Amino acid sequence: MKLKGRNKVSPDFSMSSMTDIVFLLLVFFMLTANSPNALDLLLPKAKGKSTNTQNVSVSIDKNLQYFVNNERINGEYIEIELKKALAGQDNPTIILRAEESVAIKEAVNVMDIANRNNYKVILAVRPN
């Protein structure tokens, strides 16, 4: 009596499924990795948490008037004023307060200045 089966189990391992998984992981990590050109933004939670690192406050109102530490300045000279205010600081930090109706390009302008000068930016929000 013959008890041996006709189907042989192949001990070979197929690498195609493993390479698919590795490729998908590679794509995932490339998409989620921080790019070196990203702005260093510290976004506080909207529950009214305060920080102790306030060095300079930049405010933009609905009329596109700029204020550095509550002093009104011309928008063209904001970078010069920030350099003066943050000179000699160890961790220069800007708290950006922009009204809700202000266009995002105005806030991005301040963020771009901070990025060029290696300043940190904290975007202020109102508490819930």
Side-chain angles (χ1 to χ4, degrees):
M1 185 164 157
K2 191 174 181 183
L3 293 176
K4 200 172 190 181
R6 292 184 186 210
N7 298 335
K8 287 190 172 183
V9 177
S10 175
D12 296 336
F13 181 73
S14 176
M15 290 293 291
S16 63
S17 61
M18 184 64 75
T19 53
D20 291 344
I21 292 172
V22 170
F23 178 72
L24 289 174
L25 285 174
L26 175 69
V27 169
F28 173 75
F29 286 123
M30 286 178 61
L31 290 176
T32 59
N34 291 336
S35 68
N37 295 330
L39 294 175
D40 187 17
L41 295 180
L42 303 174
L43 297 177
K45 294 182 180 177
K47 294 183 181 177
K49 185 177 179 183
S50 62
T51 62
N52 295 329
T53 60
Q54 178 175 354
N55 291 336
V56 173
S57 171
V58 175
S59 302
I60 308 170
D61 68 0
K62 61 184 173 186
N63 299 323
L64 299 181
Q65 296 176 342
Y66 288 83
F67 299 88
V68 174
N69 288 337
N70 296 326
E71 287 184 52
R72 185 171 177 227
I73 63 163
N74 190 345
E76 298 172 4
Y77 303 115
I78 191 163
E79 185 166 8
I80 296 167
E81 291 295 323
L82 287 174
K83 284 183 179 181
K84 278 195 261 182
L86 294 170
Q89 302 266 342
D90 291 336
N91 282 327
T93 304
I94 299 170
I95 294 191
L96 178 59
R97 292 181 172 93
E99 279 193 19
E100 200 171 22
S101 61
V102 172
I104 192 70
K105 70 176 183 174
E106 304 299 328
V108 169
N109 182 30
V110 176
M111 291 178 197
D112 187 41
I113 291 169
N115 187 36
R116 283 195 307 256
N117 295 294
N118 294 324
Y119 302 148
K120 290 185 180 181
V121 177
I122 297 174
L123 182 61
V125 294
R126 68 175 170 219
N128 281 342

